[in-house]
Amino acid sequence: MPGSTPQADPPIGPIRLTQYSRGGGCACKIPAGELERLVADLTLTPSGQPLVPAGRLLVGLDTGDDAAVIEGPGGTALISTADFFGPVVDDAYDWGRIAAANALSDVYAMGGRPVLAINLLGWPRERLPMELARAVLQGGADVAAQAGCAVAGGHSIDDPEPRYGMAVTGLADPGRLLRNDQGSAGLPLSLTKPLGVGVLNARHKATGERFPHAIAEMVRLNRDAAESAVRAGVRCATDVTGFGLLGHLVKLARASRVGAVIDASAVPYLAGARQAVRDGYVSGGTRRNLEWVRPWVDFAGVDEETALLLADAQTSGGLLVAGEVPGAPVIGELVPSGGTLVKIR
């Protein structure tokens, strides 16, 4: 028909969403070093503070924390964050759930409660059925409902690759925020989810093998862990996502001006993660993470396989908490600064 848009032939056979994206999940983040150089000299406002006095900035770019925080009305802390990525699994509904849990996690990592989310959707509408996009959005909505967070609209574009996530607003007590710059020597380090989803997702993308236990971890909210940490008086935490455990620990240690020691034998890993590394299913994001942290980390106590797992790019990972969290293993401690920033034993 004259003037109409040519329609692409529909996919033949089962649709594997991961094949429509160059990267998957948080492994497709811009590398930490490049990102730090990118934002280092940005001038956001003339004074470095917001233009509206009522919105005094509490957490901004300085320490690379998980979300921005301003002082809201009535002495509340208003948390703002956004996160989106390409398919990390082939099932559209599961991808939606994972992406939503990952976006909400930034609010939990600040000690907050998510209250409002808007969808961010990019969809190749001439290549993939819109019914799959609907399944993605439903997955996100279901996880947001589980979190008690309203979803109200959003923004969508016709995109060559499928992408989905959320911009999330949360609330917190400004005196009980979890920040990455509040660590001090002597505090234990707890990890609330096992590592390894990155290498298992890489295996899934390459082979189509499905790992339900990895999906279960990625859709599990960090709400309970965050609430437990806040109740226990913890003031320092971050979530473990695309920069891996070591990347996020390096950022926390630098921000808090402390060092850290990790007991590699205490770190939990998902079943099958080590085998995935041995079989070569390691994403480019994980390898970039490892190279970025090498100047700050002493790897003398571990082999390359373990080093890759400690740098594995997680999607919707757990919280790394400077304190003890019920049910979470203690994997190390913060120590006085000096010499190597992070030592693995």
Side-chain angles (χ1 to χ4, degrees), residues 5-303:
T5 303
Q7 297 294 310
D9 293 334
I12 299 174
I15 295 174
R16 294 199 55 216
L17 282 177
T18 56
Q19 305 310 297
Y20 287 82
S21 177
R22 288 175 298 168
C26 291
C28 60
K29 278 189 173 183
I30 293 175
E34 291 182 28
L35 189 59
E36 287 185 346
R37 291 190 294 272
L38 178 68
V39 303
D41 298 320
L42 281 180
T43 302
L44 301 182
T45 62
S47 65
Q49 292 293 318
L51 298 178
V52 181
R56 185 170 65 92
L57 189 66
L58 301 178
V59 180
L61 273 176
D62 294 349
T63 64
D65 218 324
D66 296 296
V69 185
I70 64 169
E71 186 178 45
T76 60
L78 190 66
I79 303 170
S80 182
T81 185
D83 214 310
F84 63 95
F85 46 67
V88 68
V89 293
D90 288 325
D91 184 90
Y93 179 74
D94 283 343
W95 171 33
R97 293 197 297 155
I98 292 166
N102 184 76
L104 295 168
S105 180
D106 283 341
V107 173
Y108 293 131
M110 303 301 299
R113 173 174 59 90
V115 295
L116 177 66
I118 57 175
N119 289 311
L120 305 172
L121 178 70
W123 199 257
R125 47 183 293 276
E126 295 179 8
R127 299 176 63 203
L128 288 173
M130 294 304 292
E131 289 79 4
L132 287 180
R134 180 181 177 83
V136 173
L137 294 173
Q138 188 63 62
D142 287 353
V143 163
Q146 180 186 348
C149 177
V151 180
H155 183 66
S156 62
I157 60 170
D158 191 343
D159 197 327
E161 294 187 22
R163 311 174 200 275
Y164 175 63
M166 288 178 164
V168 186
T169 300
L171 299 175
D173 179 340
R176 306 179 75 185
L177 287 172
L178 301 177
R179 302 174 51 143
N180 70 354
D181 63 354
Q182 297 298 302
S184 58
L187 288 174
L189 288 169
S190 302
L191 182 64
T192 67
K193 286 187 184 182
L195 302 181
V197 296
V199 292
L200 292 179
N201 287 340
R203 184 165 205 147
H204 172 69
K205 180 178 174 66
T207 69
E209 295 176 73
R210 191 170 181 272
F211 300 99
H213 63 301
I215 293 172
E217 288 296 336
M218 288 186 282
V219 302
R220 180 160 64 93
L221 295 174
N222 282 323
R223 175 183 55 198
D224 293 348
E227 290 177 353
S228 293
V230 170
R231 280 197 303 269
V234 170
R235 291 295 175 263
C236 180
T238 187
D239 65 348
V240 180
T241 55
F243 301 143
L245 172 65
L246 290 179
H248 290 283
L249 177 56
V250 163
K251 289 165 68 70
L252 184 152
R254 289 191 314 182
S256 296
R257 295 181 173 84
V258 295
V261 175
I262 293 295
D263 179 359
S265 65
V267 177
Y269 302 100
L270 287 169
R274 284 194 176 275
Q275 190 61 50
V277 174
R278 292 172 190 148
D279 292 341
Y281 297 107
V282 180
S283 71
T286 291
R287 295 191 185 279
R288 290 190 295 270
N289 288 341
L290 186 55
E291 290 310 305
W292 181 66
V293 300
R294 282 192 189 279
W296 295 289
V297 179
D298 179 356
F299 287 100
V302 295
D303 56 22

